[in-house]
Amino acid sequence: MARSRAGAGSSSSASRASRTPLNASDLVAVEPRGRRHCAECRTGPLALLVMADGAPRCLDCADLGHLVYLPRGNTALTRRAREGSSLSVVVVRRNSKRRRYERQGVLVEEAALALAERRCLADAEARARRRERDAVRRAEQDVRFTAAFAEEVRRLFPGCPQDRARAVAEHASVRGSGRVGRSAAGRALDRGAVTAALRAAVRHVDTEYDSLLMSGVPWAEARRRVSPAVEALLSAWRGRADNSPHP
């Protein structure tokens, strides 16, 4: 009986692999749905069988007992294992509802599978190192972008305190947040996007907007009520320079 080596992979890739059609040259072993015995040595019930001369054979009697079983699921591992194995067998099982045989895995030589696993592991380690480098690069980009956003706030609103400008930039530019700083306009430091980020910050920090919302006032009405105060502060910041850290 072939030994089993578990393969890892997504269920979606496994599903696609199960539907891949067999080639005419593929050797095939079957996972029987019923209790089947080898026609030659009479062992059974068989977990896998090969049909030979119209009768089921166990893997040992079919001279395939030295192979190891790799379940479907990891496409790269399966491909490499089959490429490195001088003998490979596709394992299928009958899907009675769909009236077809579906791939379940492959039988390959153990040495070929071990080599394929080492190569896939090396690839995974290389991808992990690349992800780490990319994470550092993105972090550096985010620091530069946040600084540029804060500078643009200060350029448009010279009276805005430095710490407020920095806080607005940090909040608006969080990667993956969907906030205005991550929009196309925000990344381009568009005046409207920068102003919108500052206006939102003022609305929440410097007015009773949040309290109005918590008391049940609809957001549109709450915005209308606090709008004069918001615009007054923006106007003040727009018209004068202030290098102090606090308003």
Side-chain angles (χ1 to χ4, degrees):
M1 179 61 62
R3 288 164 289 172
S4 176
R5 295 278 285 273
S10 67
S11 59
S12 59
S13 62
S15 178
R16 288 192 298 271
S18 72
R19 297 193 297 268
T20 304
L22 297 175
N23 298 320
S25 59
D26 284 335
L27 296 175
V28 177
V30 179
E31 290 185 2
R33 302 192 66 86
R35 297 171 62 86
R36 304 292 297 275
H37 291 73
C38 177
E40 186 170 334
C41 69
R42 309 308 300 172
T43 58
L46 300 176
L48 293 175
L49 63 85
V50 176
M51 294 301 295
D53 298 326
R57 298 287 195 281
C58 68
L59 296 185
D60 287 332
C61 290
D63 295 323
L64 301 174
H66 64 292
L67 302 180
V68 294
Y69 179 45
L70 173 61
R72 74 187 188 199
N74 189 321
T75 303
L77 180 60
T78 297
R79 173 177 52 78
R80 283 177 163 165
R82 294 195 71 183
E83 289 174 350
S85 184
S86 59
L87 180 64
S88 64
V89 180
V90 177
V91 176
V92 299
R93 181 171 59 206
R94 176 73 175 176
N95 186 323
S96 57
K97 291 184 178 179
R98 297 180 177 178
R99 298 181 181 181
R100 68 185 185 196
Y101 283 94
E102 296 179 340
R103 289 175 182 254
Q104 302 303 309
V106 292
L107 299 171
V108 293
E109 294 168 337
E110 186 167 15
L113 178 55
L115 178 59
E117 288 172 334
R118 289 196 296 271
R119 289 177 174 173
C120 286
L121 180 60
D123 284 352
E125 292 173 347
R127 288 194 296 272
R129 289 194 296 269
R130 184 168 62 249
R131 286 194 296 270
E132 291 175 358
R133 292 194 299 269
D134 290 345
V136 171
R137 175 179 53 81
R138 288 193 297 270
E140 292 172 347
Q141 291 174 343
D142 289 348
V143 169
R144 291 194 295 270
F145 175 67
T146 298
F149 200 99
E151 289 177 5
E152 186 64 10
V153 171
R154 291 277 294 166
R155 188 186 73 81
L156 295 175
F157 300 88
C160 179
Q162 292 181 2
D163 60 343
R164 287 295 301 275
R166 181 72 183 183
V168 169
E170 290 176 347
H171 179 80
S173 62
V174 173
R175 186 181 293 269
S177 65
R179 295 169 185 154
V180 65
R182 302 311 305 184
S183 66
R187 292 195 301 272
L189 299 179
D190 175 78
R191 175 188 294 266
V194 174
T195 301
L198 182 58
R199 179 178 288 111
V202 169
R203 185 184 297 125
H204 287 286
V205 175
D206 300 285
T207 75
E208 58 178 352
Y209 179 70
D210 291 355
S211 297
L212 292 173
L213 293 180
M214 291 300 293
S215 66
V217 177
W219 71 268
E221 173 62 17
R223 284 193 174 193
R224 187 191 65 77
R225 291 187 190 182
V226 303
S227 179
V230 171
E231 297 307 319
L233 186 53
L234 292 183
S235 180
W237 283 349
R238 188 182 289 112
R240 64 180 174 86
D242 183 357
N243 294 320
S244 64
H246 299 287

